[in-house]
Amino acid sequence: MENKDWPLWEIFIRSRQGLDHKHVGSLHAADAQMAIENARDVYTRRMEGVSIWAVESKNVHASNPDEAGEFFEPAEDKIYRHPTFYDIPEAIGHM
Amino acid sequence: MTNIAIHTDTQTALCDYVLHLADTNLILGQRICEWSGHGPVLEQDIALSNIGLDLLGQTRSLYQYAAELLGGEKTEDDLAFLRSERQFKNLLLSEQPNGDFGYTIVRQFLYEAYQQLLLTELKKSSDAQLAAIAEKSLIETNYHYKWSAEWVIRLGDGTEESKSRIQKSINEIWTYSGEMFIPTADEQLLCSIGIIPDLADLKDAWMQKVKAVFAEATLTMPEEMYMQRGGKTGVHTEHLGYMLAEMQYLQRQYPGQIW
C-alpha cells in the first residue's frame, strides 16, 4: 500500500542561548521548511525555545539495542578512564 | 464649540474603527478555532489553533482600548458577548464558513496580507495606543502571513486536485476581498487626520503581494468583479448570526457568568 503520510522528522530545540539543542520529539512534515514551522507550532508555543533543528528521521542512525552488552558494558569497569585521580587546581573550576 | 464637536466625532469614529478591527479578529479567530480537533494533520491543527488564539489576544487589546474610548462601564466582555449582529463591524471575509482546508487558507492569506500592510502603517498612527497595539500585533501577523502564503503555494503548486480546489476557493471568496479597501465615512475621517492610512494606497500594495504569491503558486488572479460590502457598517451575510448565537449563548443565558 502506498504510504500517504508525510515523512517523519526528529526535532531538536535550544531552550536558551549557550545551551545545546536537545531532542524534544518528532513530527510529520512534507519538507524541511514545513518541519521547522510545525516544530515552532508544536514544540515552542510555551516559550520553550530560541532555535530549532529538524532532521529527517531516516537520516538518524542508531546503535543496535541487541549489541548493548558488547557496546557499553566494557566501559563499566574502566574507572581509570575518568580523570578523577588528578588534582584539579581550583582556578580551573568545574571540568 | 466647533472644536469640541470635531473632537467628539473623532472619538466616536476612532472607537467604531477600533471595534471594527477587534470584531474582525474575534470573528476570524472564532472561525479558525472551529478547526480544533478537525485539522488535516495534528501539526496543522495546532498551527491553526495558535493563529486563532493570537487573533483573540489581539482582539482583547483592541476591545480594552474601545472600552476605554467609550468611557462608560462597558468591559471587553460586554463588547464581545453582548452586542448584536447589526452592531458587529467585522469584515464579511472573516465570517465566511471554513469550507475545506484550502478555503480556510485562502481566507487567511487574503486577510493577513492586508493586515500586514495595515499594521505596518498603523505603527505610525498619530494615535499612540493604536500604534502600540499595531506594533505588538505585527510580529504575530508576520508569521500568520508567512504560514498562509506558504500553504497557498503548496496547494496551488501541488497536485492537480489541490490546485483545482484552491483555485475554486479563490474564485468563490474573491468577492469578499474588496471590502477591506472601501473606506467608510469613519475611515475617511480618521485618514484625514493621520490616525489611519489611506486604504487606496494599501490596495495597490496588497494586489502586488497577492499577485506575486499566486504567480509562484501557479494560480490565476480572478478578474474584476462586484465586491460585497456591508460588514464594516453592520450589514452581514447570513453566517454571522449563527456564529454569535453560539459564541454568545452562555453570556445571554447566564448573564455575568464566569469560570
Side-chain angles (χ1 to χ4, degrees):
Chain A
M1 209 178 99
E2 187 194 358
N3 181 6
K4 287 192 170 175
D5 283 344
W6 289 330
L8 195 64
W9 299 74
E10 301 302 322
I11 303 302
F12 300 81
I13 306 256
R14 160 183 281 170
S15 56
R16 276 195 292 125
Q17 293 299 346
L19 294 182
D20 296 333
H21 285 73
K22 278 214 170 64
H23 185 241
V24 293
S26 53
L27 49 73
H28 289 97
D31 56 32
Q33 187 181 7
M34 194 196 283
I36 289 172
E37 286 171 19
N38 285 351
R40 179 259 189 203
D41 281 317
V42 177
Y43 291 115
T44 68
R45 58 205 300 267
R46 298 180 185 89
M47 299 191 303
E48 290 94 335
V50 295
S51 165
I52 296 170
W53 286 351
V55 180
E56 201 173 339
S57 305
K58 69 175 186 194
N59 293 324
V60 174
H61 302 276
S63 61
N64 184 350
D66 294 342
E67 295 169 349
E70 64 225 54
F71 252 62
F72 305 116
E73 274 173 32
E76 273 178 21
D77 57 358
K78 314 278 192 310
I79 51 166
Y80 50 84
R81 288 181 183 168
H82 293 275
T84 50
F85 302 105
Y86 304 95
D87 291 324
I88 309 223
E90 266 183 35
I92 292 180
H94 186 67
M95 267 182 79
Chain B
M1 277 312 279
T2 324
N3 277 339
I4 292 166
I6 288 172
H7 177 76
T8 313
D9 284 354
T10 310
Q11 180 98 353
T12 310
L14 178 59
C15 182
D16 283 350
Y17 182 72
V18 173
L19 284 173
H20 152 66
L21 296 178
D23 291 344
T24 300
N25 274 355
L26 175 67
I27 296 301
L28 188 58
Q30 173 80 4
R31 274 286 185 232
I32 298 173
C33 287
E34 288 173 15
W35 274 103
S36 291
H38 302 276
V41 292
L42 177 143
E43 291 83 355
Q44 295 309 319
D45 194 293
I46 295 179
L48 284 159
S49 295
N50 285 349
I51 292 175
L53 293 175
D54 283 350
L55 292 179
L56 292 184
Q58 296 173 17
T59 303
R60 289 195 58 193
S61 312
L62 290 162
Y63 276 149
Q64 284 162 6
Y65 184 36
E68 195 184 311
L69 290 168
L70 284 168
E73 303 269 290
K74 285 209 186 320
T75 66
E76 50 178 317
D77 285 343
D78 296 330
L79 295 173
F81 296 122
L82 299 178
R83 285 184 307 140
S84 64
E85 194 183 347
R86 292 301 292 265
Q87 294 171 304
F88 267 76
K89 302 175 202 311
N90 58 288
L91 294 169
L92 299 178
L93 181 75
S94 64
E95 71 202 35
Q96 298 312 305
N98 285 337
D100 61 13
F101 183 67
Y103 190 92
T104 293
I105 290 294
V106 175
R107 187 186 60 197
Q108 203 64 25
F109 168 67
L110 299 180
Y111 178 65
E112 301 291 0
Y114 162 75
Q115 190 73 344
Q116 199 177 38
L117 294 164
L118 177 66
L119 293 176
T120 304
E121 292 303 314
L122 284 181
K123 265 170 70 177
K124 299 176 250 169
S125 171
S126 59
D127 185 86
Q129 183 70 22
L130 197 54
I133 294 172
E135 184 163 8
K136 184 161 178 287
S137 306
L138 186 59
I139 300 167
E140 293 172 343
T141 301
N142 286 338
Y143 185 75
H144 303 167
Y145 173 74
K146 181 178 151 70
W147 177 86
S148 57
E150 278 170 13
W151 270 110
V152 168
I153 294 165
R154 282 179 193 282
L155 294 175
D157 194 15
T159 64
E160 219 169 280
E161 185 186 350
S162 70
K163 180 177 179 155
S164 74
R165 283 172 70 169
I166 196 170
Q167 183 70 58
K168 186 165 165 278
S169 297
I170 291 169
N171 299 346
E172 278 174 21
I173 209 166
W174 197 253
T175 188
Y176 298 108
S177 67
E179 190 188 11
M180 299 187 280
F181 308 106
I182 304 170
T184 59
D186 282 346
E187 284 173 316
Q188 280 167 343
L189 173 66
L190 295 173
C191 176
S192 72
I193 50 177
I195 292 184
I196 69 167
D198 188 342
L199 296 184
D201 295 343
L202 291 189
K203 184 176 181 181
D204 293 337
W206 182 84
M207 285 295 252
Q208 293 310 315
K209 269 168 99 115
V210 172
K211 251 186 206 157
V213 170
F214 281 7
E216 199 178 337
T218 70
L219 292 164
T220 314
M221 288 285 279
E223 293 182 4
E224 280 213 20
M225 61 171 77
Y226 174 76
M227 288 298 175
Q228 299 289 339
R229 64 193 75 179
K232 288 178 179 180
T233 50
V235 183
H236 292 277
T237 59
E238 67 271 31
H239 307 295
L240 182 66
Y242 293 102
M243 287 187 80
L244 294 184
E246 189 179 341
M247 250 177 59
Q248 298 183 334
Y249 170 80
L250 199 116
Q251 281 304 317
R252 300 281 193 184
Q253 187 74 7
Y254 305 99
Q257 191 68 262
I258 53 167
W259 61 283

